[in-house]
Amino acid sequence: MAAALGGLGLLQGRVRLAAAAAATSSLGRPGRRAPVRGGAAAALPSAGRSYGSEAKEEEELRVRYLDDEHRGIVVLGLNRSHAKNALNKNLLKMMSKAVDALKSDKKVRTVIFRSEVPGIFCAGADLKERAKMHSSEVSSFVSKARATINEMANLPVPTIAAIDGTALGGGLELALACDIRVAASSAKMGLVETKLAIIPGAGGTQRLPRTIGVSLAKELIFSARIVDGEEAKSIGLISHVVEQNEAGDAAYRRALALAREFLPQGPVAMRVAKLAINQGMEVDLVTGLAIEEACYAQTIPTKDRIEGLLAFKEKRPPRYKGE
């Protein structure tokens, strides 16, 4: 089964075949810096934690594999304090490298994206770097940002964005690529590109309407409006809003608690459930049901399913191995 689900490639192929078959049948009918390993205490910054004015290049993205009761959770921490975590060439390269390693690691169960800089999630693209680019380089940079964020969106495991500060432009696009968003009530979010006479170019014009609806997404993009955590929750932009704490990491702590809820579930089931939902949302219901059928079939022969049924019978917690 591990081979069959290597990167979910085989399953994705079967899903595409199922979608094609469903569409055809309906035509006649009417409408790792090296990974830092540590427990929860190491992953949760204290209120007194200090940050340097500049981070070394290898520290601009910190990757932590948590241990103990958080084993299986990986935290990607943005750490460009001097640039408000703005996305530059180096950070995008590091993000792409980290995501590439995570997508093939069967021990990873959930990924949390957060900031390690107080008061900021991500200010968007690094405009100082962009100002030095030739026009042809700008197009290449935006394409790289879009591709990297798409890679994040396609991670086979659940992803959570912990927004403890400002998330603007590309920063919000990064968060939109996550399955779930958690924010502090004081956080500020918005796609503000029209103020610069451009448009969101890393998925914002597509993911925001799919998240909050077409009309409201147009309103926010046309006005370049910035909303706080409370309003973001009321319009469905985020799933959870929490009051900020003294440490400035309330959203991260809520994201961590949420990730822990995912850990006891069957790993293969979680991966194919995400695939079924993501693929199904892009097609009609008939095709979506065919996709679900193809995905469900992949859970039948797994050892995890046998273990789940046995654990239920024996009234004990299951011991899943992702097989």
Side-chain angles (χ1 to χ4, degrees):
M1 188 59 201
L5 283 176
L8 291 185
L10 179 58
L11 176 53
Q12 288 173 329
R14 291 178 178 175
V15 165
R16 285 192 291 270
L17 288 174
T24 302
S25 65
S26 64
L27 290 176
R29 297 193 296 269
R32 291 180 216 203
R33 171 172 137 184
V36 179
R37 299 183 181 273
L44 293 170
S46 65
R49 180 169 184 173
S50 62
Y51 295 83
S53 60
E54 291 193 5
K56 296 180 181 179
E57 284 192 355
E58 66 269 19
E59 294 180 334
E60 290 187 347
L61 181 71
R62 293 180 174 173
V63 183
R64 290 184 172 87
Y65 288 70
L66 306 190
D67 287 328
D68 302 324
E69 70 270 24
H70 298 97
R71 185 178 300 276
I73 300 173
V74 178
V75 180
L76 299 185
L78 303 177
N79 190 45
R80 295 193 73 214
S81 59
H82 63 291
K84 297 182 178 180
N85 288 341
L87 302 173
N88 66 348
K89 291 180 180 178
N90 181 64
L91 184 54
L92 287 174
K93 179 180 179 180
M94 295 183 71
M95 289 169 57
S96 179
K97 183 177 179 181
V99 169
D100 189 58
L102 292 173
K103 67 184 180 183
S104 59
D105 189 342
K106 294 299 189 297
K107 295 181 180 179
V108 176
R109 303 289 298 279
T110 300
V111 177
I112 298 176
F113 290 88
R114 66 166 302 193
S115 167
E116 299 201 14
V117 180
I120 190 77
F121 179 73
C122 176
D126 189 330
L127 297 182
K128 290 183 179 179
E129 182 185 70
R130 181 177 293 189
K132 300 175 183 178
M133 295 181 186
H134 186 272
S135 57
S136 61
E137 292 180 286
V138 173
S139 177
S140 176
F141 174 81
V142 174
S143 294
K144 177 60 177 178
R146 185 184 305 113
T148 300
I149 290 176
N150 279 338
E151 290 171 8
M152 287 173 38
N154 291 327
L155 275 170
V157 297
T159 55
I160 307 172
I163 308 171
D164 272 306
T166 303
L168 301 178
L172 182 54
E173 289 178 303
L174 187 156
L176 283 167
C178 294
D179 299 312
I180 300 165
R181 286 161 296 284
V182 180
S185 57
S186 58
K188 305 296 182 183
M189 290 157 270
L191 295 179
V192 297
E193 286 85 350
T194 52
K195 283 187 175 181
L196 302 174
I198 57 176
I199 69 170
T205 64
Q206 302 305 304
R207 291 193 175 95
L208 187 62
R210 286 168 166 80
T211 301
I212 66 174
V214 174
S215 181
L216 189 51
K218 287 179 178 178
E219 181 180 330
L220 293 186
I221 292 174
F222 294 166
S223 65
R225 185 183 305 154
I226 296 174
V227 300
D228 62 18
E230 295 290 352
E231 185 174 358
K233 176 65 169 64
S234 70
I235 63 177
L237 179 55
I238 63 175
S239 300
H240 303 273
V241 60
V242 292
E243 289 296 322
Q244 190 55 281
N245 56 27
E246 291 185 3
D249 63 357
Y252 171 59
R253 290 176 182 270
R254 182 67 183 91
L256 191 62
L258 189 60
R260 286 188 62 182
E261 292 185 43
F262 301 160
L263 292 180
Q265 320 315 327
V268 174
M270 295 289 281
R271 289 170 179 254
V272 295
K274 177 172 178 174
L275 179 63
I277 295 169
N278 286 356
Q279 298 281 344
M281 286 299 295
E282 304 301 323
V283 299
D284 61 89
L285 179 59
V286 172
T287 306
L289 290 172
I291 290 172
E292 180 184 80
E293 182 179 7
C295 288
Y296 185 87
Q298 295 303 303
T299 66
I300 299 299
T302 65
K303 294 180 180 179
D304 278 354
R305 181 175 182 272
I306 297 172
E307 166 60 15
L309 294 174
L310 185 61
F312 178 80
K313 180 181 179 181
E314 297 176 353
K315 298 182 179 180
R316 60 169 175 80
R319 295 183 288 270
Y320 294 125
K321 298 181 179 178
E323 300 176 343

